[in-house]
Each structure stands twice: as structure tokens, then as C-alpha cells.
Amino acid sequence: MPSLRTLLAVPVSLTLLALAPATTTKPPTPTPPPATASTSPTLAPASAPTTAPTADAILRLLTTQGRAPAAALLTREDPNTRTTSSTVGIGTAPAPTPVTSPITTHYAQAGQDIARADHFRAGSITKTFIATVVLQLAAEHRLSLDDTVEQHLPGLIRGAGNDGRTMTLRALLTHTSGLNDFTVETKGVVPLSPLQAVRIALTHPPTDPGRYHYSNTDYVLLGMVIHQVTGRSYATEAERRIIAPLGLTGTSFPGSRTSLPSPHGRAYAADGTDVTELDPRVAGAAGELVSTLADLDRFYAALLGGELLPPRLLREMLDTRTAHGLYGMGLFPQKLSCGITVWGHNGRITGSYVRTAATVDGRRVLTFRVNTTAIADPDLEPALLAAEFCPRTS
């Protein structure tokens, strides 16, 4: 197999906007934490109201048991958001209702050097933006989800058993292409062009095509498809189709810019090293985004509330059958201990971990973040989501 140094020397002929951070882990397993006082808060039996600690209380545990320097969350509840069918492929979304009640938000933080308005790296939450753009292009009949990669990027996917002639855009969106995740080799720290990232993946044979296999390469390719179809970068398309219309003033694609916009706090690696300055060209369309808590809440509320996609394509986005119940298209479901299922995505990049979850209609959204790469106690995340979304007795 060619060395990484050799691969990075390959000339770039399909250059897109510069790359960025991504999550290299699969979506969290939708399993409630064990009910032990020494690990995480006790959760209620399925469908029962819970007297467990609040989300704010669990947030504080992220800085103790979770060993994060700081953590923050922002919830948003909009009683006026239109509802959509939670059954994929059945029914249509009703029309929006007039605004009659105010949107409510709640912010909490734990630890130092973190604030509500901070900009931070959102990692693979970028994938939800990219998937939305692709589905909008499908709604405009500029591409089909059943198009092959070969139709848009002829001759690109060849080698080690990989073949773009049999690989569809649907497979990329649902992580069922079998393509190797290039960040396994680069460890998510080597800045690359999209073509360089793809060429690294193509030195490895596919992993069980048709089965769910989370790969950042899938979304780098989708970024290239967006450029090929529109003549503009994925960043430009996301900005004009999503960021500007929704007024997401704290959200951007930084390209090669290593600094964060102001205001921002510091970001730390697991060993405590300050990694606030980071070259975002490490994952491209798989994880470039910089955002804020409020912007991510607004985006997922709009997306699931039907503001960005027609009902048919929103149902496609939520359809997890291709990925065997594990992933839709840029979104994944997580069933909580009380039986409620929330939808969203996570994002992991050196110095930042973010998770957004929402009810299927987008009426209620939670985004939380820590200013380090990972949470030491993985049981805290599902506990926090359950505390926010499961019914409570008080």
C-alpha cells in the first residue's frame, strides 16, 4: 500500500473548499446507562415519569465524572413548530400553525472559560448540513439519490475493489458504501484536500458494502458531488441554502482558517494540551463546521420542523432502513430509557465534542458541548438526553 506521504503528494485536480474537523466514531449506542450511583444518574423504567437528576445536574457531572474542563447546554422549545409524521413513508406533514406562543430557551454551564455565545468546532454535525443540501438538490431534480457516484465523479472511485459505478449517493448518505474511513489512517490531524482524502480511502478494500459502516470519506465525496452538480463549493451551497436563510450568524465553514471567530473559549486535548488553534482541513465536508449552541438548536428545529426540505425528502432523511435502523441521512435516532426516540447527530474533533438531539418534529431541541475531545464516562450522554426528553414527575 502506498505510504501516506506518497498519497499526499498526489496532484489535486478536483479541489473544493478547504477541509475541516470530523467525528471518527460511530453514533453513540442507544443503550441507557447502568443504574449505579457510582457511574451515572439512575434513569426511570421505559415510559415512566422520572425523578432522576435534571439535565443541569448531569451537565455538572460532565466536568467531574466526565473529566471535561467545561461543559454547556442550551435547550429550545417551540410550541408552534409544525409536526411531521414519525412513521417513515406514511402521511404528509401538516401545514405550519400560526405563531401563538413564545419560543423558550434554557442555558446552563459548568466549569470555567465557556459561555453561551461561544463559537466552537462542531465536527460531524457538519454531515447534517451536507445531507440537507444533497436532499435539496434532489428536490430540485438536479440529482437523484439513486444516481451512482460514477455519474457525477466519473472514474474517481476505482481501486482495491471499490467501484463508483455500483455505489449510489444513497449509500454515501447512509454510510453503507463500504468505503474506508480515511481518518483512521490520518487520525484526524492531517490537513488534506478532498481528493487526497478519497485517494487514501481507495488504498483499502471496501468493508461489507450494503451494511452500515460509518466513514468520513462518504461525506467528503458528497461535498465533491455538490460542487460538481452546482459549480459551487459545498460551503457556499450550505451558506446560501441554510445558514443565510435561517440567520445562523454564528455558523461558518472556516476553510483553512485555524482560529475561531470571537467570542470563543479554549479547547483542550485529552492530555490537557491547548488545541484551540487547529487547521480545519482535516475532514472537509465530513466535519468542517464552526457554530454556536443557539445556531445548532435553530438549525435542527428548522430541519425537523419542515422548513428546509419537502415532506417526502424529510421522510427519506429519517428513513433508517438502508442502514438497518442505525442511521438515516445525516441524522441518527437514539432510543432513550423511557422509550422516547430523539434525532440528531454528534460531532467530535480534537478539542471539542458536541451533541444535538431533538424530538422528531423539531419542537424541542437540546445541544450540549464540552471543550475537550471526549467525555470520560460515556454513560453521561444518554443520561443527559433522558433527563431532558423523558417525562418527569416534578
Side-chain angles (χ1 to χ4, degrees), residues 178-237:
L179 282 168
N180 175 263
D181 184 350
F182 72 93
T183 65
V184 172
E185 190 159 329
T186 67
K187 309 302 181 187
V189 298
V190 181
L192 301 169
S193 73
L195 186 57
Q196 288 171 328
V198 171
R199 288 194 182 278
I200 290 172
L202 293 178
T203 63
H204 300 271
T207 302
D208 201 6
R211 304 293 296 180
Y212 175 77
H213 173 70
Y214 191 88
S215 174
N216 288 294
T217 309
D218 290 332
Y219 276 73
V220 169
L221 274 170
L222 288 168
M224 297 173 80
V225 169
I226 291 170
H227 182 267
Q228 185 68 21
V229 170
T230 67
R232 291 178 287 269
S233 71
Y234 60 83
T236 298
E237 286 298 307

Side-chain angles (χ1 to χ4, degrees), residues 73-160:
L73 66 78
L74 182 67
T75 63
R76 169 192 169 107
E77 187 160 8
D78 182 357
N80 309 297
T81 303
R82 76 179 190 180
T83 58
T84 57
S85 172
S86 60
T87 305
V88 174
I90 299 176
T92 57
T97 56
V99 174
T100 57
S101 302
I103 295 170
T104 59
T105 62
H106 170 72
Y107 173 74
Q109 69 180 68
Q112 302 298 314
D113 196 28
I114 198 165
R116 179 171 180 157
D118 280 350
H119 297 82
F120 52 83
R121 303 187 192 280
S124 278
I125 281 179
T126 308
K127 291 180 174 68
T128 315
F129 283 73
I130 296 300
T132 301
V133 172
V134 172
L135 288 165
Q136 287 180 344
L137 293 171
E140 296 163 9
H141 306 290
R142 301 177 70 178
L143 55 77
S144 167
L145 302 184
D146 295 317
D147 287 349
T148 64
V149 176
E150 181 76 9
Q151 287 174 252
H152 298 285
L153 302 170
L156 178 62
I157 305 303
R158 296 285 196 281

